[in-house]
Amino acid sequence: MQDAFAHCESLVRAADKDRFLATLFAPAEHRGALHALYAFNVEVARVREVAREPLAGEIRLQWWRDALDGAGQGDVESNPVAAALLATIARYRLPRESLQALLDARRFDLYDQPMATLAELESYAMGASGGLIALAAHILGDRRSQGIALLAYHAGLAQAIAGLLKAFPAHAARGQLYLPLEVLERHRASEQDIGHGRATSELRAALADMRAEARRHLVDAKPLLAAAGSQVMPALLPLAVVAPTLARMERSDYDPFAPVELAPWRHPWLIWRASRRPDRILG
């Protein structure tokens, strides 16, 4: 089991550096559980890339559903991420429905159907990001369902929207559209322009609308963050990069179809600064 948790730590360090850095500020006794949770997220988030075809992706997600339900076959115990996650669920009594919601959200990734509405995007973001924050907070010892749930909702939506906007070039290149159709229609932006890589003024307006949506959730999260217990801060530290990422997209040289990256040194610096000043987590 120790090897399973070590595997999770290595996986998160390689594939999810922001969350890995955040775990360094968590109490040592909880880091293994956070690594197991975040390793599970890594495995599920990359199902499309690994599986390539929707059916193969559905099979992988079903494997994880069965593992969470205790109905997995044979290789569940031999999978180090599954073994560490199941041990973490048992130790911390993690709500399995939140983990299942993450799997349900990631099913959308397997297909090239566009996101229809902002409400649909919010549901996806809550499953893929907000629920992960709430689970990490649960591990860290804050299980006040109402306060943490609302904070995780707003923080998770801000984080997910910023992440999807950052990934917009990659998604557009492979024909995926997370930018809700209702937002495109509101600004008279065209799916065809996205497919052909045309950064029209209408598309820019739709993307700006989504950045404003992310910022609204950051604003709504701030008073909830101030009321949250200090023990949950490591679950929220990855959000320290959200506002700077949005700001990078608001520069005059922003190209929606070019990768948006902060300088590599900024990620650890922003997370370190937020660990010293939690009021800076949300920008």
Side-chain angles (χ1 to χ4, degrees), residues 218-282:
L218 289 177
V219 169
D220 289 341
K222 279 190 176 182
L224 300 168
L225 176 66
S230 60
Q231 71 267 37
V232 307
M233 292 307 151
L236 295 158
L237 287 177
L239 275 96
V241 306
V242 170
T245 298
L246 294 172
R248 177 63 185 83
M249 297 176 196
E250 289 158 355
R251 286 170 34 168
S252 60
D253 62 347
Y254 170 55
D255 178 357
F257 296 98
V260 173
E261 296 290 348
L262 300 177
W265 61 267
R266 289 197 71 192
H267 286 256
W269 181 78
L270 287 165
I271 290 170
W272 174 84
R273 184 184 67 168
S275 74
R276 308 278 291 185
R277 290 276 307 277
D279 59 303
R280 303 299 297 270
I281 290 175
L282 303 176

Side-chain angles (χ1 to χ4, degrees), residues 16-211:
D16 194 345
K17 289 184 172 59
D18 289 345
R19 288 192 175 95
F20 174 75
L21 289 169
T23 66
L24 299 179
F25 298 95
E29 65 267 25
H30 298 316
R31 286 179 200 155
L34 291 172
H35 293 150
L37 174 65
Y38 293 152
F40 167 67
N41 182 61
V42 168
E43 292 282 15
V44 174
R46 66 185 185 185
V47 161
R48 173 164 176 146
E49 283 69 26
V50 173
R52 297 181 180 272
E53 296 294 333
L55 179 58
E58 292 276 16
I59 291 170
R60 284 178 177 267
L61 292 180
Q62 187 60 50
W63 186 92
W64 280 107
R65 288 189 186 94
D66 291 343
L68 292 175
D69 287 339
Q73 300 297 319
D75 56 347
V76 171
E77 288 299 326
S78 65
N79 181 304
V81 176
L85 179 65
L86 291 174
T88 298
I89 291 171
R91 177 183 172 187
Y92 291 91
R93 298 183 180 179
L94 294 184
R96 292 174 190 256
E97 59 271 19
S98 296
L99 296 162
Q100 294 284 6
L102 195 154
L103 294 172
D104 293 340
R106 288 299 182 178
R107 186 173 180 272
F108 182 88
D109 299 345
L110 303 179
Y111 300 92
D112 294 334
Q113 295 297 318
M115 194 75 74
T117 65
L118 189 57
E120 189 177 326
L121 175 62
E122 289 182 354
S123 178
Y124 172 90
M126 188 55 202
S129 182
L132 198 64
I133 293 171
L135 285 163
H138 185 108
I139 288 170
L140 291 164
D142 195 324
R143 299 167 191 179
R144 297 169 302 146
S145 58
Q146 191 64 29
I148 288 302
L150 192 55
L151 173 56
Y153 170 79
H154 288 298
L157 262 62
Q159 184 180 44
I161 292 170
L164 291 171
L165 291 174
K166 180 182 174 183
F168 180 81
H171 291 155
R174 69 187 187 193
Q176 268 189 309
L177 185 59
Y178 289 82
L179 185 59
L181 293 178
E182 72 167 315
V183 177
L184 290 177
E185 291 166 2
R186 183 187 308 154
H187 296 280
R188 299 181 180 178
S190 164
E191 289 184 72
Q192 289 71 31
D193 285 336
I194 295 173
H196 289 91
R198 292 191 288 260
T200 63
S201 59
E202 292 84 1
L203 174 59
R204 290 180 179 276
L207 293 169
D209 197 347
M210 292 308 301
R211 292 196 299 272

